[in-house]
Amino acid sequence: MYRRSRFVVAKKTENHLYLFHTLTKQCYQTDRDLMREQLSAEEIENNPDLKKLTEEWFYVKQDYDESRQYFSVFKILRAFRAEKGFVHYLIYPTSKCNARCVYCIEEDMKKRSMKAETARQAAAYIASTHRKGAKICLTWWGGEPLIEEKKIDLITEYLQNEKIDYFSNMITNGSLINERIIHKMHDLWKMDLVQISMDCGEQEYIRRKNYYSYHNEYFTIMEKVNELVQNDVGVMVRVNVDMDNIAYAEEFIRDLKKAVREPSKVPLYFAPLHQSRAADGDSIWKNVFRLDHVVREEGFANRFEHLPNFFTLYKCMSDGQEGVVIDTEGRLLACEACVEGTSFGDVWNGVVDKEMWNSHNEICEIREECKTCVCLPLCTPFSKCPHVQANCKALPMHEIDMGLERIIAENE
Ligand code: SF4
Ligand code: SF4
Ligand code: SF4
């Protein structure tokens, strides 16, 4: 007997059945009644479509261990992929900010900015540790990174002088963006994406951002989105949500629609705050997924336009040794959440604590609850993330759903 693979997601329409395999990333359109949970070898042999699906692992032998198969592929690809040098640096020019968001993870950190001497050393560290021949990615993070734009200049000028090929992106509240900065983003910082964080409707925005001094940022930032688009700097709007502000999400979409001239060039998405992901379970995700459809209907770009189409070798920058975090003090860390006590070196001495550093490259065993999960090949077995998720399947399943909906819309 054969059974349907654990890595298959099926979606029926009036006329067809769509099958997506999360390991191979193949997607088939077939007859509506084709897919069954169990099949005999004889049935497969007599039906060319079922035969094809079996050859492509949509059906597997009853006792076949798919999580083991996935894990072997994963380990082999990781071993082949291992190359020397970093391709990604996440840099904190400052942990200071002109806003005081009620949910800020930096809230408990000491407010510090990178000194010029540290920035120069960080640039020298990047120049000596990047992967040769690769284009490297710099992510500017904070705090509000634009408070320390001179440190960003210093590091990027250094890299330019050293003829190192780089591009960058930034996570910002957007309030300090102006024409001069946009030109610099384009020319010197080589910025391909600015992610602006918002907080639903105007009153919620004012309350949550809690700026030291508020000057109509809610609407002026929306205008700046246009200027970024006009100047060929990619921009994405992320709206932080929980169950207390989600009711104002539609108001935000309406306001942004009025302000933005080319919504199709602006990806917009709603992201549950970490506290909400841990506590609110399904209710917050249901709201977020509904909003993704509103975003699509209103003509904004949606981050989940396509089915996942690559093999996830690394869960995030903390998994593996492809990238490193440099904080305001020049310390090296693995994770953007900068968990205290997890620094393994600094930009003067490089990696000092080899044990801590190597622990981020260890391949974790697959957890029991993941072995039969359809999302496993999209997840990787990495388990060091400090954030708790009440419903870990929600987002990967939604990504598949949105991708399938798009394919169905194009093919029905
Ligand atoms: S804008 Fe970002 S860094 Fe600034 S307070 Fe809010 S969450 Fe923190
Ligand atoms: S972490 Fe959650 S979504 Fe990922 S494989 Fe495990 S059970 Fe599935
Ligand atoms: S371990 Fe978690 S918080 Fe840290 S970089 Fe990865 S996903 Fe982000």
Side-chain angles (χ1 to χ4, degrees):
M1 291 299 288
Y2 285 72
R3 63 170 171 79
R4 189 166 114 176
S5 160
R6 294 206 163 85
F7 296 147
V8 172
V9 180
K11 201 171 172 98
K12 271 187 180 171
T13 65
E14 216 172 295
N15 304 313
H16 295 109
L17 175 69
Y18 290 81
L19 301 169
F20 175 62
H21 199 295
T22 56
L23 176 61
T24 67
K25 314 292 187 280
Q26 284 182 300
C27 184
Y28 278 94
Q29 181 202 57
T30 73
D31 295 342
R32 200 173 180 281
D33 300 317
L34 190 74
M35 198 68 170
R36 297 214 317 272
E37 289 303 323
Q38 305 243 331
L39 289 169
S40 67
E42 197 186 347
E43 281 174 286
I44 291 170
E45 200 47 48
N46 293 329
N47 183 325
D49 287 346
L50 289 177
K51 203 168 170 189
K52 177 75 181 159
L53 287 175
T54 310
E55 281 163 11
E56 305 287 1
W57 295 344
F58 283 76
Y59 281 104
V60 293
K61 287 229 170 94
Q62 194 73 41
D63 57 354
Y64 190 57
D65 187 343
E66 290 176 274
S67 64
R68 185 155 292 283
Q69 175 206 27
Y70 155 75
F71 204 41
S72 324
V73 175
F74 175 76
K75 283 198 283 194
I76 290 168
L77 289 177
R78 272 277 280 246
F80 274 113
R81 178 69 190 269
E83 282 184 66
K84 282 218 160 95
F86 298 123
V87 288
H88 186 200
Y89 297 84
L90 188 143
I91 306 166
Y92 280 69
T94 183
S95 54
K96 295 177 185 167
C97 187
N98 54 345
R100 289 167 294 180
C101 296
V102 287
Y103 51 78
C104 183
I105 56 167
E106 259 74 62
E107 203 179 22
D108 301 330
M109 280 187 187
K110 282 206 173 122
K111 302 294 174 211
R112 290 184 173 128
S113 282
M114 201 176 244
K115 292 185 180 138
E117 177 203 335
T118 309
R120 260 190 298 277
Q121 187 58 37
Y125 179 75
I126 295 169
S128 65
T129 57
H130 75 282
R131 187 171 298 165
K132 307 296 174 248
K135 188 171 191 166
I136 61 164
C137 173
L138 311 171
T139 296
W140 306 104
W141 185 284
E144 172 46 54
L146 288 173
I147 288 181
E148 286 295 340
E149 59 165 296
K150 294 272 180 289
K151 307 295 157 40
I152 303 177
D153 291 349
L154 202 155
I155 293 174
T156 46
E157 274 163 7
Y158 188 106
L159 298 180
Q160 247 184 20
N161 290 339
E162 293 290 314
K163 302 210 172 357
I164 290 167
D165 203 5
Y166 65 90
F167 68 100
S168 70
N169 49 56
M170 175 178 282
I171 317 298
T172 169
N173 62 34
S175 61
L176 301 175
I177 295 174
N178 56 34
E179 206 183 323
R180 182 181 55 76
I181 296 246
I182 291 177
H183 286 141
K184 207 150 52 167
M185 281 175 165
H186 187 274
D187 299 337
L188 176 62
W189 301 350
K190 301 186 195 301
M191 196 151 282
D192 77 339
L193 185 68
V194 178
Q195 183 190 290
I196 297 181
S197 317
M198 300 293 280
D199 297 275
C200 284
E202 186 185 9
Q203 289 314 311
E204 272 302 292
Y205 179 82
I206 294 171
R207 191 179 72 76
R208 290 192 168 215
K209 275 280 176 284
N210 195 16
Y211 282 102
Y212 286 92
S213 162
Y214 182 69
H215 303 289
N216 199 28
E217 274 81 359
Y218 179 75
F219 288 109
T220 53
I221 287 171
M222 290 182 183
E223 272 307 315
K224 287 170 190 172
V225 168
N226 285 322
E227 288 168 42
L228 286 162
V229 170
Q230 262 167 18
N231 286 280
D232 283 332
V233 180
V235 54
M236 175 189 267
V237 179
R238 169 189 163 120
V239 187
N240 294 316
V241 290
D242 57 26
M243 292 309 286
D244 293 332
N245 73 345
I246 197 90
Y248 306 95
E250 263 106 345
E251 176 192 338
F252 177 79
I253 297 174
R254 276 196 302 277
D255 290 338
L256 191 67
K257 183 78 189 282
K258 271 190 220 144
V260 167
R261 286 191 282 278
E262 295 180 273
S264 64
K265 293 192 175 164
V266 181
L268 164 64
Y269 74 103
F270 293 80
L273 289 161
H274 288 302
Q275 301 89 316
S276 186
R277 285 176 201 231
D280 296 331
D282 288 344
S283 42
I284 190 67
W285 286 117
K286 272 188 195 144
N287 279 288
V288 164
F289 300 159
R290 181 182 57 77
L291 289 165
D292 267 347
H293 287 98
V294 180
V295 163
R296 195 182 257 179
E297 279 153 26
E298 292 297 333
F300 288 98
N302 195 304
R303 64 185 166 147
F304 294 137
E305 290 296 324
H306 304 287
L307 284 168
N309 63 358
F310 55 87
F311 194 97
T312 314
L313 272 184
Y314 301 99
K315 178 160 179 67
C316 59
M317 73 173 303
S318 186
D319 180 17
Q321 298 179 334
E322 297 271 289
V324 68
V325 177
I326 302 176
D327 77 356
T328 53
E329 307 303 291
R331 288 178 302 187
L332 304 176
L333 298 117
C335 170
E336 66 192 25
C338 286
V339 185
E340 273 306 317
T342 59
S343 167
F344 44 75
D346 59 48
V347 291
W348 288 273
N349 302 298
V351 173
V352 177
D353 187 341
K354 290 228 161 42
E355 202 179 321
M356 170 102 67
W357 165 235
N358 285 331
S359 74
H360 285 271
N361 204 30
E362 278 164 14
I363 296 179
C364 312
E365 281 298 317
I366 303 175
R367 285 166 290 184
E368 266 323 298
E369 68 269 28
C370 301
K371 281 186 179 161
T372 52
C373 175
V374 67
C375 304
L376 175 64
L378 308 175
C379 243
T380 89
F382 185 68
S383 58
K384 288 200 171 69
C385 184
H387 298 308
V388 178
Q389 298 259 10
N391 184 354
C392 51
K393 288 185 191 145
L395 199 56
M397 286 309 287
H398 176 59
E399 185 176 1
I400 296 170
D401 236 36
M402 294 290 281
L404 281 174
E405 271 180 25
R406 171 92 187 214
I407 287 179
I408 290 167
E410 284 166 1
N411 288 282
E412 292 282 302

